[in-house]
Amino acid sequence: MVDVDSFIDEKLGEIADAVGDANAVIALSGGVDSSTAAALAYEAIGDQLTPVYVDTGLMRRDETDQIRETFDYMDSLRVVDARDRFLDALGDTTDPEEKRHVIGERFIREFETVAKAVDADYLVQGTIYPDRIESEGTIKSHHNVGGLPEVVDFDGIVEPMRDLYKDEVREVARELDLDELVAERMPFPGPGLAVRIIGEVTEEKLAVAREANHVVEEELEEYEPWQALAAVIGKATGVKGDNRVHGWVVSVRSVESRDGMTARAQEIDWETLQRIQSRITGARENVARVVYDVTHKPPATIEYE
Ligand code: XMP
């Protein structure tokens, strides 16, 4: 990218030319790529673009509110409350890949419904250069919105940032006043908290995972991890007040990494770990213990599933 301003000018023209007077949709994930693509496309074609955010119920705490706030200026924004449908679809699925598959499928159906309702002929995507390279080799079936073009019948796909690297996307985002997204939260997997819950996904486990991830992100920010997370990994006995409880075990993980392919577990000081433990067990009556994961990648992956 030579210069941000001329990049933006050029792309605004390209998007407007590609879409003409038709309608387009984009799936917002809350991440910087799709948000930047949405902001660009909205500037190019205004309300001919419908940005769609599917609330899967598997996202981080406050994510949906933040999306509403950030994109408040887009009159055509659609927030789809699909929380119950995702939980229903997951049912008692426990296999990690099967969970990803169910979530990916459900996502496509939700998105397709909106695309049809607004009569969209074009799909805008926040694909960036590394995504195109990565999708050539797959380790896990990564659910972003990869399956959309094959399943939903569009006249065309518009990917304004397909040649950019992440740091260039951030420059564009900054230029478009998406500063709060540039400050950027850690990477978060497409299937969300579902891969931070071992086995069946239930409302109860989701509530624990959501709160625990919030605490961990907040407490570990100063360590500048590549990713810090909490996972609900099983049940164990604990004692709360005068009662023995059979509560959830939360595993905390914080890693340094350059590209997510390998990672090192971070050394965290005892006081911070204790604060995390006490905040999580204090916030959730049904958490019996908190452990810290010291495993590098390999042999462990970053996520738990
Ligand atoms: P793992 O767990 O394989 O994760 O060590 C490496 C990086 O990829 C992210 N990740 C995913 N991202 N869909 C995504 O969009 C997925 O299914 C998925 N699984 C893992 C993970 O958060 C880490 O940054």
Side-chain angles (χ1 to χ4, degrees), residues 15 19 22-28 34 37-39 41-43 45-54 71 74-80 110-125 148 154:
I15 298 167
V19 178
N23 292 323
V25 276
I26 181 168
L28 288 173
S34 65
Y42 193 80
E43 197 157 319
I45 58 172
D47 285 348
Q48 279 166 265
L49 177 77
T50 301
V52 183
Y53 173 73
V54 178
F71 298 106
M74 299 182 181
D75 291 334
S76 47
L77 173 69
R78 295 265 187 122
V79 176
V80 181
E110 297 292 341
F111 189 75
E112 187 181 40
T113 305
V114 179
K116 285 194 172 139
V118 301
D119 207 8
D121 288 323
Y122 289 88
L123 173 68
V124 182
Q125 288 202 299
L148 281 174
F154 292 105

Side-chain angles (χ1 to χ4, degrees), residues 10-38:
E10 188 185 314
K11 292 299 162 184
L12 291 180
E14 275 179 29
I15 298 167
D17 286 348
V19 178
D21 52 13
N23 292 323
V25 276
I26 181 168
L28 288 173
S29 70
V32 68
D33 301 344
S34 65
S35 302
T36 306

Side-chain angles (χ1 to χ4, degrees), residues 126-142:
T127 319
I128 66 173
Y129 184 66
D131 297 336
R132 294 198 281 138
I133 305 305
E134 266 164 38
S135 61
E136 282 165 17
T138 46
I139 295 180
K140 276 178 188 172
S141 54
H142 275 211

Side-chain angles (χ1 to χ4, degrees), residues 100 140-144 187 189-191 226-227 260 297 301-303:
R100 279 193 169 74
K140 276 178 188 172
S141 54
H142 275 211
H143 152 70
N144 281 325
W226 155 270
Q227 244 171 327
K297 173 183 179 176
T301 52
I302 296 174
E303 302 292 345

Side-chain angles (χ1 to χ4, degrees), residues 211-212 215 240 277-287:
E211 189 59 31
V215 169
K240 294 251 174 136
Q277 177 277 118
S278 118
R279 281 186 63 185
I280 296 174
T281 53
R284 313 295 313 184
E285 189 57 31
N286 54 357
V287 174

Side-chain angles (χ1 to χ4, degrees), residues 17-182:
D17 286 348
V19 178
D21 52 13
N23 292 323
V25 276
I26 181 168
L28 288 173
S29 70
V32 68
D33 301 344
S34 65
S35 302
T36 306
L40 256 182
Y42 193 80
E43 197 157 319
I45 58 172
D47 285 348
Q48 279 166 265
L49 177 77
T50 301
V52 183
Y53 173 73
V54 178
D55 182 1
T56 61
L58 308 171
M59 308 307 284
R60 285 174 278 197
R61 207 181 93 168
D62 305 330
E63 192 117 48
T64 302
D65 290 342
Q66 280 174 13
I67 295 264
R68 278 190 204 280
E69 218 167 281
T70 307
F71 298 106
D72 183 47
Y73 71 98
M74 299 182 181
D75 291 334
S76 47
L77 173 69
R78 295 265 187 122
V79 176
V80 181
D81 181 359
R83 289 175 295 179
D84 291 348
R85 293 192 289 276
F86 273 84
L87 261 190
D88 282 352
L90 280 164
D92 55 6
T93 312
T94 54
D95 179 75
E97 282 301 295
E98 182 61 21
K99 277 160 78 173
R100 279 193 169 74
H101 179 73
V102 168
I103 292 165
E105 276 293 304
R106 189 65 246 157
F107 188 90
I108 288 169
R109 296 282 90 85
E110 297 292 341
F111 189 75
E112 187 181 40
T113 305
V114 179
K116 285 194 172 139
V118 301
D119 207 8
D121 288 323
Y122 289 88
L123 173 68
V124 182
Q125 288 202 299
T127 319
I128 66 173
Y129 184 66
D131 297 336
R132 294 198 281 138
I133 305 305
E134 266 164 38
S135 61
E136 282 165 17
T138 46
I139 295 180
K140 276 178 188 172
S141 54
H142 275 211
H143 152 70
N144 281 325
V145 286
L148 281 174
E150 288 98 70
V151 183
V152 188
D153 194 20
F154 292 105
D155 286 353
I157 295 172
V158 182
E159 294 178 321
M161 304 181 319
R162 65 198 312 274
D163 297 321
L164 300 190
Y165 283 95
K166 198 79 167 186
D167 52 331
E168 296 174 316
V169 176
R170 295 218 176 93
E171 274 184 64
V172 176
R174 215 172 282 126
E175 196 62 31
L176 295 170
D177 288 330
L178 293 172
D179 286 339
E180 68 276 32
L181 288 160
V182 181

